[in-house]
Amino acid sequence: MSESVQLIPGNSLITATPQEGRELAIKMARLTIRVTQPDDEIRGKLRGIYAEDAAMLIAVGQTVATEFATIAAANNYWR
Amino acid sequence: MSESVQLIPGNSLITATPQEGRELAIKMARLTIRVTQPDDEIRGKLRGIYAEDAAMLIAVGQTVATEFATIAAANNYWR
Amino acid sequence: MSESVQLIPGNSLITATPQEGRELAIKMARLTIRVTQPDDEIRGKLRGIYAEDAAMLIAVGQTVATEFATIAAANNYWR
Amino acid sequence: MSESVQLIPGNSLITATPQEGRELAIKMARLTIRVTQPDDEIRGKLRGIYAEDAAMLIAVGQTVATEFATIAAANNYWR
Amino acid sequence: MSESVQLIPGNSLITATPQEGRELAIKMARLTIRVTQPDDEIRGKLRGIYAEDAAMLIAVGQTVATEFATIAAANNYWR
Amino acid sequence: MSESVQLIPGNSLITATPQEGRELAIKMARLTIRVTQPDDEIRGKLRGIYAEDAAMLIAVGQTVATEFATIAAANNYWR
């Protein structure tokens, strides 16, 4: 792993809207996987696996929920 | 995945009541799965699987609990 | 799923005591499962499975702990 | 399940010390399992299973950590 | 289980540095497992299992992360 | 395990940017695994396993998300 790869698009947790915060959460979750498995072909193959596996899709949802909790707090919940 | 798909209905975490906050948590959890697996037919098939699997139903509950924690904080717990 | 089903008894996170807060956490966790699997017979069958499975019982405990964290914060920890 | 069973010993999250808070976390985690599986004999059998299973012991630790987070916050971290 | 066994070394969440806080998190996670499985020989055997299992090592990391979150908050993040 | 091994690079949770905070989260997650399994060869072998396993990659992402939540809070979300 090269630590210089982008892990947080825009290098900020601040977003204009909850929707954008949610998109950031999804991207951050994906970038962790990319940095752990940098091979595009392998990741593509694994994506085909988890996208058709109910338990793994639920686990993806759990991770996104956790990332989003941080982003939402950073943005004072866009109140 | 198209990032332009709706991830948070109403683009807000603020709801009038805890019940509505809980409904939002459930919807947000589902929308993560939808964006990760956009094929309606496959999702329908997977839903039939997790809806009859005790461990997966518990995992769904864990994700909803995590989403709800964020929404509840955003709404100052509807105090 | 009909979004009109009750997801939070009393539509409030505020309870008089920690014990009542804990009971609410358990109920909320169950209601998520109910809304995801509305068929009483299937749920009854699944309950028989997870109630005799150590790993699933631990997972139920994890979900209840997460729900309770939110309820406890809502009640300022009943200090 | 009878909702009248004790779920939180002392009906309070406040403890004198971190050690007592940790003991409370462990008890709360156990009481969730007890209320979900009230049969003493079955629980005893399941305990024998998870106490010798590395993955389940780790999962127990995760639940206790989550319960403790709430109790520690309730006690202002015993600062 | 005897509740009198030590669950938190020093009976405090306050540490001088993040490093010490992290060490405490690891110890606390281990002590939960010890109190759940008090037999040294069995724990030793189980340690040999999870230390060579990728999924279990990741799960250990999740628990340590959760314990550390509490300790870090207790110490105001050593700011 | 020797407690003297480095668990938090720089012995601080404070970073200049979210990107650096994310890198720290990843390092902290890895150091927990290193201290639990100090053998470089075994860890290398296990890394080859989880890097090609979709479920384990998702679990790695969950742990990183949890570590990052703490780091983000420590840095007041780099607001």
Side-chain angles (χ1 to χ4, degrees):
Chain A
M1 158 184 163
S2 165
E3 303 293 24
S4 62
V5 298
Q6 188 193 54
L7 293 169
I8 300 182
N11 201 7
S12 170
L13 301 181
I14 308 306
T15 70
T17 63
Q19 169 78 19
E20 291 178 24
R22 197 75 174 175
E23 291 169 3
L24 178 58
I26 292 172
K27 286 174 187 163
M28 284 169 57
R30 291 183 178 176
L31 289 169
T32 306
I33 290 181
R34 178 180 294 177
V35 83
T36 309
Q37 175 48 269
D39 186 304
D40 288 348
E41 196 178 346
I42 294 175
R43 275 207 324 285
K45 190 187 68 176
L46 296 176
R47 167 176 276 269
I49 290 172
Y50 73 70
E52 301 206 13
D53 183 293
M56 289 190 208
L57 280 172
I58 295 168
V60 167
Q62 179 67 35
T63 300
V64 170
T66 305
E67 301 283 17
F68 183 70
T70 301
I71 295 166
N75 288 279
N76 284 318
Y77 305 100
W78 302 276
R79 277 187 205 122
Chain B
M1 157 184 163
S2 164
E3 304 294 22
S4 63
V5 298
Q6 187 193 54
L7 293 169
I8 300 183
N11 201 6
S12 170
L13 300 181
I14 308 305
T15 70
T17 64
Q19 169 78 20
E20 290 177 25
R22 196 76 175 173
E23 292 170 2
L24 178 58
I26 292 172
K27 285 175 188 162
M28 284 168 56
R30 291 184 178 174
L31 289 169
T32 306
I33 291 181
R34 179 179 295 176
V35 84
T36 309
Q37 175 48 270
D39 186 303
D40 288 347
E41 196 177 347
I42 295 175
R43 275 207 323 286
K45 188 187 68 176
L46 296 176
R47 166 176 279 269
I49 290 171
Y50 72 70
E52 302 206 11
D53 183 293
M56 289 189 207
L57 279 172
I58 295 167
V60 167
Q62 180 66 35
T63 301
V64 169
T66 305
E67 301 282 18
F68 183 70
T70 301
I71 295 166
N75 287 279
N76 284 318
Y77 305 100
W78 302 276
R79 279 186 203 123
Chain C
M1 157 184 164
S2 164
E3 303 293 21
S4 63
V5 298
Q6 188 194 52
L7 293 170
I8 300 182
N11 201 5
S12 170
L13 300 181
I14 308 305
T15 69
T17 64
Q19 169 78 19
E20 290 177 26
R22 196 76 174 174
E23 293 170 1
L24 178 58
I26 292 172
K27 285 175 188 162
M28 284 168 56
R30 291 184 178 174
L31 289 169
T32 306
I33 291 181
R34 179 179 294 175
V35 83
T36 309
Q37 176 46 270
D39 187 303
D40 288 348
E41 196 177 348
I42 295 176
R43 274 206 324 284
K45 189 187 68 177
L46 296 176
R47 166 175 278 268
I49 291 171
Y50 73 70
E52 301 206 11
D53 183 292
M56 289 190 207
L57 280 171
I58 295 167
V60 166
Q62 180 66 35
T63 302
V64 170
T66 305
E67 301 283 18
F68 184 69
T70 301
I71 295 166
N75 288 279
N76 284 317
Y77 305 98
W78 302 276
R79 282 189 200 119
Chain D
M1 158 186 164
S2 163
E3 303 293 21
S4 62
V5 298
Q6 188 193 51
L7 293 170
I8 300 181
N11 200 6
S12 170
L13 300 181
I14 308 305
T15 69
T17 64
Q19 169 79 18
E20 290 178 25
R22 197 75 174 174
E23 293 170 0
L24 178 58
I26 292 172
K27 285 175 188 163
M28 283 168 56
R30 291 185 178 174
L31 289 169
T32 305
I33 291 181
R34 179 180 293 176
V35 83
T36 309
Q37 176 45 271
D39 187 302
D40 288 346
E41 197 177 347
I42 294 175
R43 274 206 324 284
K45 189 187 67 177
L46 296 176
R47 167 176 277 267
I49 291 171
Y50 73 70
E52 301 206 11
D53 183 291
M56 290 190 207
L57 280 172
I58 295 167
V60 167
Q62 180 66 36
T63 301
V64 169
T66 305
E67 301 283 17
F68 184 70
T70 301
I71 294 166
N75 287 279
N76 283 317
Y77 304 99
W78 302 276
R79 282 190 201 117
Chain E
M1 158 184 162
S2 164
E3 302 294 21
S4 61
V5 297
Q6 188 193 52
L7 293 170
I8 300 181
N11 201 7
S12 171
L13 300 181
I14 307 306
T15 69
T17 64
Q19 169 79 19
E20 291 178 24
R22 197 75 173 175
E23 293 170 1
L24 178 58
I26 292 172
K27 286 175 187 162
M28 283 168 58
R30 291 183 178 175
L31 290 169
T32 305
I33 290 180
R34 179 179 294 175
V35 84
T36 309
Q37 176 47 272
D39 186 303
D40 288 347
E41 197 177 346
I42 295 176
R43 274 207 323 285
K45 189 188 66 178
L46 296 176
R47 168 176 277 268
I49 291 173
Y50 73 71
E52 300 206 11
D53 184 292
M56 290 190 207
L57 280 172
I58 296 167
V60 167
Q62 180 66 36
T63 301
V64 170
T66 305
E67 301 283 16
F68 184 69
T70 301
I71 294 166
N75 288 279
N76 284 317
Y77 305 99
W78 301 276
R79 280 190 202 118
Chain F
M1 158 185 162
S2 165
E3 303 294 23
S4 62
V5 298
Q6 188 193 53
L7 293 169
I8 300 181
N11 201 8
S12 170
L13 301 181
I14 308 306
T15 70
T17 64
Q19 169 79 18
E20 291 178 24
R22 197 74 175 176
E23 292 169 3
L24 178 58
I26 292 172
K27 286 174 187 164
M28 283 168 58
R30 291 182 178 176
L31 289 169
T32 306
I33 290 181
R34 178 180 295 175
V35 83
T36 309
Q37 175 47 271
D39 186 304
D40 288 346
E41 197 178 345
I42 295 176
R43 274 207 324 284
K45 189 187 68 177
L46 296 177
R47 168 176 277 268
I49 290 172
Y50 73 69
E52 300 205 13
D53 184 293
M56 290 190 208
L57 280 172
I58 295 167
V60 167
Q62 180 66 36
T63 300
V64 170
T66 305
E67 301 283 17
F68 184 69
T70 301
I71 295 166
N75 287 280
N76 284 318
Y77 305 99
W78 302 276
R79 279 191 203 118

